């Protein structure tokens, strides 16, 4: 962490700098704060982590069901953090909503407040409400994203 001090304490990290500061006095990494946004990973880093953990990856990939011993893409993310192979990204990059926050979510979509939004379901919504909300969301996305991207063509 000393070698990459200004990546861990960076203005883009916002309030998360406080968590880092509070954990700074401990001798090892105790936890990582995971926002449920997409993360940028370098392909060579992924290859490196897979090559260093071939047996564990083989066990995970050959298992039909999840296990507490499985490894995932989070291993690559944590490895990138520990080795300093990352770039700080603003905490305002994305926003997490659940379906009960429909109006806020639509405003965010209409005015492009964030680059990424995560939409979680909510157990308090019944099937009819879910279908109604998803139909309205699709309409908003069709208006906002009326042209296909080059990947969809």
């Amino acid at each position: 962490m000393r070698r990459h001090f200004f990546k861990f304490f960076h203005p883009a990290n916002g309030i998360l700098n406080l968590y880092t500061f509070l954990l700074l006095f401990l001798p090892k990494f105790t936890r990582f704060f995971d926002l449920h946004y997409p993360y940028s990973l370098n392909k060579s880093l992924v290859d490196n982590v897979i090559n260093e953990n071939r047996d564990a990856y083989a066990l995970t990939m050959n298992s039909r069901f999840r296990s507490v011993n499985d490894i995932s893409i989070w291993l690559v993310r944590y490895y990138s953090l520990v080795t300093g192979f990352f770039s700080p990204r603003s905490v305002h990059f994305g926003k997490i909503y659940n379906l009960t926050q429909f109006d806020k979510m639509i405003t965010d979509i209409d005015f492009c407040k964030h680059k990424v939004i995560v939409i979680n379901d909510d157990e308090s919504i019944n099937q009819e409400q879910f279908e109604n909300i998803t139909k309205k969301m699709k309409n908003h996305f069709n208006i906002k994203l009326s042209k296909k991207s080059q990947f969809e063509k």
Side-chain angles (χ1 to χ4, degrees):
M1 193 167 156
R2 287 184 191 114
R3 284 186 280 162
H4 307 288
F5 184 81
F6 291 108
K7 285 186 174 183
F8 288 99
F9 288 99
H10 192 276
N13 296 338
I15 191 69
L16 298 179
N17 284 320
L18 178 62
Y19 292 112
T20 305
F21 177 75
L22 293 173
L23 297 173
L24 182 66
F25 304 102
L26 299 173
K28 297 179 181 179
F29 288 102
T30 58
R31 73 174 309 254
F32 297 108
F33 192 84
D34 295 318
L35 298 169
H36 292 271
Y37 302 141
Y39 289 103
S40 305
L41 299 172
N42 186 291
K43 186 176 177 182
S44 64
L45 181 72
V46 174
D47 289 341
N48 186 28
V49 172
I50 289 173
N51 288 332
E52 289 182 17
N53 299 282
R54 281 226 180 268
D55 294 338
Y57 266 99
L59 284 173
T60 298
M61 289 187 284
N62 292 323
S63 175
R64 291 181 63 192
F65 302 101
R66 280 186 168 178
S67 158
V68 295
N69 299 322
D70 286 351
I71 57 175
S72 69
I73 198 67
W74 292 107
L75 175 62
V76 179
R77 168 151 162 71
Y78 299 156
Y79 183 86
S80 71
L81 292 173
V82 170
T83 59
F85 198 77
F86 69 96
S87 297
R89 182 167 62 188
S90 172
V91 292
H92 303 294
F93 172 76
K95 179 76 175 171
I96 299 172
Y97 294 103
N98 67 39
L99 290 177
T100 60
Q101 299 171 300
F102 179 76
D103 293 332
K104 290 180 182 178
M105 180 178 39
I106 292 302
T107 301
D108 196 335
I109 293 168
D110 289 343
F111 293 103
C112 300
K113 288 184 171 184
H114 299 93
K115 293 181 188 253
V116 172
I117 61 169
V118 176
I119 304 169
N120 291 320
D121 57 354
D122 191 295
E123 62 186 28
S124 68
I125 293 177
N126 64 35
Q127 185 66 29
E128 184 180 331
Q129 291 170 316
F130 177 81
E131 290 172 7
N132 187 26
I133 290 170
T134 54
K135 184 178 178 182
K136 289 178 183 177
M137 275 184 2
K138 285 178 187 177
N139 289 338
H140 272 278
F141 279 123
N142 285 333
I143 292 167
K144 188 68 179 173
L145 306 169
S146 57
K147 294 182 183 177
K148 288 187 176 187
S149 74
Q150 66 188 45
F151 298 106
E152 295 175 297
K153 293 179 181 179

